[in-house]
Amino acid sequence: QVQLVESGGGLVQPGGSLRLSCAASGPIFSISSMGWYRQAPAKERELVASITKDGTTNYADSVKGRCTISRDSAKNTVYLQMNNLTPKDTAVYYCTADVLAMGRTWFNDYWGRGTQVTVSP
């Protein structure tokens, strides 16, 4: 079973930084795009950033210039460096990956369980 496990969340003061990590494991043949979404209380889940297999990135306007997504394809891991955090960044952050599992002929989206990021004085 393909699994995604996030880490790196926590409590940080405004202006601080966090680095989220997400490792995919299991019977993985290939991963195309990977990304991060977030969901704040009483709000819909929204895209934060994504990265393709060739390294093309995409960011939500709200995080451009403050966040950097990267990946280590050899480790099936994606990272999200977040700087200059504000209380508006408080949310559960979810990792997602478009995975071709071994024995399959199509890609499926997999999601992690999420990691809480709280920005507060």
Side-chain angles (χ1 to χ4, degrees):
Q1 182 75 2
V2 175
Q3 290 186 328
L4 273 63
V5 178
E6 302 99 335
S7 61
L11 174 64
V12 63
Q13 293 186 343
S17 299
L18 281 176
R19 188 187 191 218
L20 305 183
S21 300
C22 172
S25 62
I28 296 170
F29 182 79
S30 178
I31 300 177
S32 58
S33 64
M34 303 184 81
W36 291 93
Y37 282 71
R38 66 185 180 186
Q39 187 166 19
K43 291 191 176 181
E44 293 187 354
R45 191 173 296 189
E46 63 175 0
L47 174 69
V48 178
S50 64
I51 184 167
T52 64
K53 192 171 186 177
D54 65 1
T56 301
T57 58
N58 180 47
Y59 296 93
D61 287 342
S62 59
V63 304
K64 279 181 182 177
R66 300 189 298 119
C67 293
T68 302
I69 189 170
S70 60
R71 67 189 282 177
D72 184 337
S73 293
K75 296 181 179 180
N76 290 332
T77 299
V78 63
Y79 306 95
L80 184 67
Q81 176 68 43
M82 302 188 293
N83 301 321
N84 195 22
L85 287 162
T86 76
K88 290 184 178 181
D89 295 311
T90 295
V92 178
Y93 284 70
Y94 297 91
C95 168
T96 182
D98 199 18
V99 177
L100 177 61
M102 291 183 181
R104 298 283 181 92
T105 57
W106 60 90
F107 284 82
N108 285 105
D109 286 332
Y110 290 85
W111 291 79
R113 293 186 175 184
T115 184
Q116 176 70 47
V117 171
T118 302
V119 185
S120 179

